[in-house]
Amino acid sequence: MADVKLHGFWFSPFVLRVVWTLKVKGIPYEYIEEDPANKTPQLLEYNPVHKKVPVFVHDGKPVCESIIIVEYIDEIWSQNPLVPADPYERAIARFWVRYIDDMISAVLLPLCRSNDIAEREEIIKEIWARFRVIEERCSGDQKKFLGGDTFNIVDIAFGSFARFILALEDMFEVKILEAERFPHLHTWFNNFMDVPAIRDNHPDQEKLVACIMFMRDKLR
Amino acid sequence: MADVKLHGFWFSPFVLRVVWTLKVKGIPYEYIEEDPANKTPQLLEYNPVHKKVPVFVHDGKPVCESIIIVEYIDEIWSQNPLVPADPYERAIARFWVRYIDDMISAVLLPLCRSNDIAEREEIIKEIWARFRVIEERCSGDQKKFLGGDTFNIVDIAFGSFARFILALEDMFEVKILEAERFPHLHTWFNNFMDVPAIRDNHPDQEKLVACIMFMRDKLR
């Protein structure tokens, strides 16, 4: 059997992408919970450039960066494919993953950090504008999932942030992914959370909110 | 024969990646030079999300984002492969492409814009720190190319910025990619520029400097 390890933080949306991928594919793995303040020597050796999680280790060989790990796992373990087989469909999926990584990720940290209500409202407006693009362009055809009728890498990429945003909604007592504002995304999120590998593997909401509260105080 | 079109700006390092890929593979294509101030309706239709070049159009179907286009072309036209066939080598290549896109691209625009010598020196120090990572980690084994003994997608990704930096060196009368400071990268750049598809296809240096000078005045 392959030797499969994952170094992560339990609260990281990027690590969650890899956990979901492994669960979707039914791959057993050893999970190493890293301490942000005191990372293991293995992590630093495996990812000397960024020193970040997730790091996926397959038979002793490290792979870094969440989406690169997801594509790697998908190429090695072919069951329940996450990257479309058709090259054009694959390019489209990669386009949306890139959009999500560049445009959604960039507004989440400022929102976590924000201590000012007016500033937070501005950031939320920006998040809405970026969600609007996904609502209209990506999920606009009302398929069951973002990538089409079957669950794929685009769902994993966006779902990890959507899950994190639920915690921010609780934390700031605001609604961001509202059903009225984003009917397609709202339906998608319910479909997404119904996938067993997703439903059964995500951080406890209360614990996640407490963790983000703690981290944002450290970030300031 | 496939209907292949590329919408671009002649001065864009991102467009240059696609041009090089098409030339390496010997794929004939129609090139549509876009006007940054007055983009064609086709471009806006093909890339409604970002409204940016490059846009690659294959049999009427658009693909956006330079590296996604390079991977797509490589998957459709298998001659002179640019993405490694081995999944682990592929993940490593993607890691470096991502590093180059996130870390090098982010410091080029501030350098173009900078009008203050002290500020520019600080940016150049940051560029050096990021080049150092590529010098030591990526090209540190003194292979002929960044991706190994054969030319690949990592060379295309970094080469497009290295080519652009040569113009910035002329413009600001500074040395950035110095032989003494970066011996591996310097050797690599000579090997890279010796590849016929690269040597014969890059913007005229003087024209590129004039263009960047014009653009930076507009950016401020």
Side-chain angles (χ1 to χ4, degrees):
Chain A
M1 211 177 72
D3 178 23
V4 176
K5 292 189 177 115
L6 172 63
H7 291 251
F9 302 145
W10 65 271
F11 52 81
S12 160
F14 299 98
V15 172
L16 195 54
R17 292 170 167 184
V18 182
V19 169
W20 284 339
T21 300
L22 290 163
K23 295 291 182 182
V24 163
K25 293 191 171 266
I27 302 163
Y29 64 101
E30 181 188 342
Y31 178 74
I32 298 107
E33 180 68 33
E34 291 281 345
D35 174 356
N38 184 25
K39 293 169 184 164
T40 64
Q42 289 78 18
L43 176 76
L44 305 178
E45 184 195 324
Y46 288 144
N47 191 357
V49 172
H50 300 297
K51 303 174 178 65
K52 282 183 183 171
V53 296
V55 170
F56 179 74
V57 190
H58 180 209
D59 290 338
K61 293 187 295 182
V63 183
C64 306
E65 300 279 343
S66 66
I67 285 300
I68 295 172
I69 298 170
V70 174
E71 285 219 40
Y72 175 78
I73 294 173
D74 199 57
E75 289 166 1
I76 298 286
W77 290 271
S78 57
Q79 66 272 31
N80 302 327
L82 292 171
V83 179
D86 173 74
Y88 189 72
E89 293 304 315
R90 191 152 61 232
I92 299 298
R94 286 180 179 146
F95 174 85
W96 285 113
V97 167
R98 182 82 194 223
Y99 180 85
I100 290 158
D101 266 8
D102 288 351
M103 305 297 281
I104 306 297
S105 168
V107 282
L108 286 190
L109 195 59
L111 180 60
C112 287
R113 277 181 183 152
S114 172
N115 218 0
D116 174 87
I117 293 181
E119 183 195 60
R120 203 179 300 149
E121 282 175 356
E122 283 307 304
I123 298 171
I124 292 175
K125 277 186 197 158
E126 189 54 47
I127 293 178
W128 280 338
R130 295 173 185 202
F131 274 16
R132 171 74 40 216
V133 173
I134 301 176
E135 169 83 9
E136 289 175 1
R137 299 267 169 201
C138 183
S139 66
D141 51 1
Q142 280 281 34
K143 296 267 171 76
K144 191 171 176 195
F145 295 108
L146 293 181
D149 289 322
T150 54
F151 179 81
N152 81 12
I153 193 170
V154 183
D155 301 290
I156 294 222
F158 189 58
S160 66
F161 293 144
R163 187 62 198 73
F164 198 78
I165 282 170
L166 282 199
L168 297 180
E169 288 185 340
D170 263 19
M171 195 167 115
F172 294 126
E173 295 175 347
V174 292
K175 286 302 286 176
I176 300 175
L177 193 60
E178 294 165 286
E180 302 71 35
R181 198 180 290 272
F182 300 109
H184 292 182
L185 284 180
H186 190 79
T187 305
W188 161 78
F189 193 64
N190 290 337
N191 293 336
F192 178 72
M193 291 300 291
D194 263 354
V195 174
I198 308 302
R199 188 185 51 220
D200 301 339
N201 296 285
H202 55 85
D204 176 77
Q205 176 87 350
E206 211 171 306
K207 206 176 143 206
L208 185 56
V209 170
C211 174
I212 301 172
M213 297 275 277
F214 173 74
M215 286 198 303
R216 67 190 284 261
D217 285 338
K218 288 187 75 173
L219 284 171
R220 204 164 294 126
Chain B
M1 210 176 72
D3 178 24
V4 176
K5 292 189 177 115
L6 173 63
H7 291 250
F9 301 144
W10 65 271
F11 52 80
S12 160
F14 299 99
V15 173
L16 195 55
R17 293 170 167 185
V18 183
V19 169
W20 283 339
T21 300
L22 291 163
K23 294 291 182 184
V24 162
K25 293 190 172 265
I27 302 164
Y29 65 100
E30 182 189 341
Y31 178 74
I32 298 108
E33 179 68 34
E34 291 282 344
D35 173 356
N38 184 25
K39 292 167 185 165
T40 64
Q42 287 78 20
L43 175 76
L44 305 179
E45 185 195 324
Y46 287 144
N47 191 357
V49 172
H50 301 296
K51 303 175 177 66
K52 283 182 182 172
V53 296
V55 170
F56 179 74
V57 190
H58 180 208
D59 290 339
K61 292 188 295 183
V63 182
C64 305
E65 300 280 343
S66 66
I67 285 300
I68 296 172
I69 297 170
V70 174
E71 285 219 41
Y72 175 78
I73 294 173
D74 199 57
E75 289 166 1
I76 298 286
W77 289 271
S78 57
Q79 66 271 31
N80 301 325
L82 292 171
V83 179
D86 173 75
Y88 188 73
E89 294 303 316
R90 192 152 61 232
I92 299 299
R94 285 180 179 144
F95 174 85
W96 285 112
V97 167
R98 183 81 194 223
Y99 180 85
I100 290 159
D101 266 9
D102 288 351
M103 304 297 281
I104 307 297
S105 169
V107 280
L108 287 189
L109 195 60
L111 181 60
C112 286
R113 278 182 182 152
S114 171
N115 217 2
D116 174 85
I117 293 181
E119 182 195 60
R120 202 179 300 149
E121 281 175 358
E122 282 308 304
I123 298 171
I124 291 175
K125 275 185 199 158
E126 188 54 47
I127 292 178
W128 280 337
R130 295 175 185 203
F131 274 16
R132 171 74 40 215
V133 173
I134 301 176
E135 169 84 7
E136 288 175 2
R137 299 269 168 198
C138 182
S139 66
D141 50 1
Q142 279 282 31
K143 296 266 168 80
K144 191 171 177 195
F145 294 108
L146 293 181
D149 289 323
T150 54
F151 178 81
N152 81 11
I153 192 169
V154 184
D155 300 290
I156 294 223
F158 189 59
S160 66
F161 292 145
R163 187 62 198 73
F164 198 80
I165 281 170
L166 282 198
L168 296 180
E169 288 186 340
D170 263 21
M171 195 167 115
F172 293 126
E173 295 175 346
V174 292
K175 286 302 286 176
I176 300 175
L177 193 59
E178 294 166 286
E180 301 72 32
R181 197 179 290 272
F182 300 108
H184 292 181
L185 284 180
H186 191 78
T187 304
W188 162 78
F189 193 63
N190 290 337
N191 294 337
F192 178 73
M193 293 300 291
D194 263 353
V195 175
I198 308 302
R199 187 185 53 220
D200 301 340
N201 295 286
H202 55 84
D204 175 78
Q205 177 85 350
E206 210 171 308
K207 206 177 143 206
L208 185 57
V209 170
C211 174
I212 301 171
M213 297 275 276
F214 174 74
M215 286 197 302
R216 67 191 284 260
D217 285 339
K218 287 186 76 174
L219 284 171
R220 208 164 294 126

